[in-house]
Amino acid sequence: MTLPRHVTRSQQRPPRAASAGMEDGFLMEVCVDSVESAVNAERGGLLQVVKQCVRVPVFVMIRPRGGDFLYSDREVEVMKADIRLAKLHGADGLVFGALTEDGRIDTELCTALLAACRPLPVTFHRAFDMVHDPQVALETLISLGFERVLTSGCDSSALEGLSLIKKLAEQAKGRIVVVPGGGITERNLQRILEGSTVSEFHCSARSARDSGMKFSVCIQQCSSSGLKLQAQPDPWGIPSATAALGFVSVRVLGKAGSGLVAFDL
């Protein structure tokens, strides 16, 4: 389970419910690092801790497993249960995606899940990058009532998919927020902003620090300079409150110039 936090652009009126309480300029998504952490997250513990550590809205990703986005009846029940738990424990919005076997938006399932999510705002995640026809899929998401869609332009990265992202943003005409994501860094950020005309985006901003452990067995996470801890605020200027979350991956959506940016710490 992933826990995003999310705020809108101040220069432009956001779509519908997405504007409520989202004026501080950041969205954070906290990713658990193990099955055990995922179980605890589903019990509400992780969401409650994150809500205590941050002062901006928290969005929860609803995804019962990795892999594709074609879900069984049992997985759908898990998703509905996760939505109920997320709302019970104070989620400010939800994120999910579901497709049919032929690569189209699963309108029946999305309609049911959206109904369970309301009145909270909902984002369709990068399942969008696996659709058969992205422009048709975008209209479907708009008609269903999603507030946002995250996409790499159906390519390996947002930079590679930049032309499609621009087309989607132009097609959307403010009816839904198109959020590019995938391989965005401080080096290509400006190019993507200018090339896509979007107001928000999602990018990675990882850094590492030395562990405080005086004894450790190096198996996977050790480098030649010793054990490293991930998910630390970096020079992009992510709020230090995220450091209190420990061994988790953190994604943040924040304001950059006239738009928004999303970070993966």
Side-chain angles (χ1 to χ4, degrees):
M1 181 180 289
T2 353
L3 308 176
R5 73 179 187 179
H6 188 25
V7 206
T8 63
R9 179 184 185 184
S10 60
Q11 289 86 351
Q12 178 175 316
R13 184 176 180 179
R16 292 180 294 153
S19 61
M22 299 180 182
E23 53 277 324
D24 294 332
F26 290 97
L27 179 153
M28 183 176 70
E29 183 179 73
V30 182
C31 306
V32 298
D33 64 340
S34 66
V35 173
E36 291 79 8
S37 295
V39 171
N40 290 332
E42 288 186 351
R43 291 172 179 165
L46 180 58
L47 177 55
Q48 290 176 343
V49 170
V50 172
K51 293 277 288 183
Q52 291 170 1
C53 290
V54 301
R55 293 290 180 269
V56 297
V58 177
F59 276 37
V60 176
M61 182 176 290
I62 304 299
R63 189 176 181 188
R65 56 163 172 77
D68 64 28
F69 306 101
L70 180 65
Y71 297 115
S72 68
D73 291 342
R74 288 186 177 180
E75 289 169 337
V76 169
E77 292 307 309
V78 171
M79 296 172 80
K80 290 179 178 178
D82 284 346
I83 290 170
R84 290 192 294 269
L85 280 172
K87 293 174 70 176
L88 177 65
H89 292 289
D92 299 292
L94 295 130
V95 183
F96 68 80
L99 305 178
T100 62
E101 62 183 6
D102 56 353
R104 289 172 171 78
I105 304 297
D106 189 333
T107 55
E108 183 178 353
L109 176 53
C110 285
T111 298
L113 295 179
L114 280 166
C117 290
R118 296 308 187 198
L120 301 180
V122 184
T123 298
F124 194 92
H125 59 45
R126 284 187 62 191
F128 185 85
D129 291 326
M130 296 180 68
V131 298
H132 178 264
D133 187 326
Q135 292 177 300
V136 171
L138 185 68
E139 292 299 326
T140 301
L141 296 183
I142 293 170
S143 66
L144 287 171
F146 283 90
E147 278 74 21
R148 278 172 175 76
V149 55
L150 177 62
T151 178
S152 63
C154 301
D155 214 317
S156 57
S157 70
L159 192 58
E160 294 293 328
L162 191 55
S163 61
L164 178 57
I165 292 171
K166 182 178 180 180
K167 289 179 182 177
L168 293 172
E170 292 171 346
Q171 177 185 341
K173 295 179 181 178
R175 296 174 295 164
I176 189 172
V177 178
V178 177
V179 183
I184 298 179
T185 70
E186 67 274 23
R187 295 183 179 181
N188 59 28
L189 169 60
Q190 194 62 36
R191 179 178 173 186
I192 291 172
L193 276 179
E194 294 175 352
S196 63
T197 69
V198 298
S199 61
E200 302 179 11
F201 61 93
H202 183 285
C203 70
S204 181
R206 285 192 178 93
S207 65
R209 67 176 173 83
D210 291 333
S211 168
M213 288 289 296
K214 294 181 179 180
F215 172 82
S216 63
V217 178
C218 297
I219 299 176
Q220 292 181 333
Q221 296 192 34
C222 285
S223 66
S224 58
S225 59
L227 184 66
K228 299 291 183 180
L229 297 184
Q230 302 297 323
Q232 299 303 312
D234 77 338
W236 285 63
I238 306 303
S240 59
T242 60
L245 297 175
F247 282 99
V248 292
S249 170
V250 178
R251 298 175 186 170
V252 179
L253 182 67
K255 213 173 290 184
S258 62
L260 294 179
V261 331
F263 299 91
D264 281 353
L265 293 186

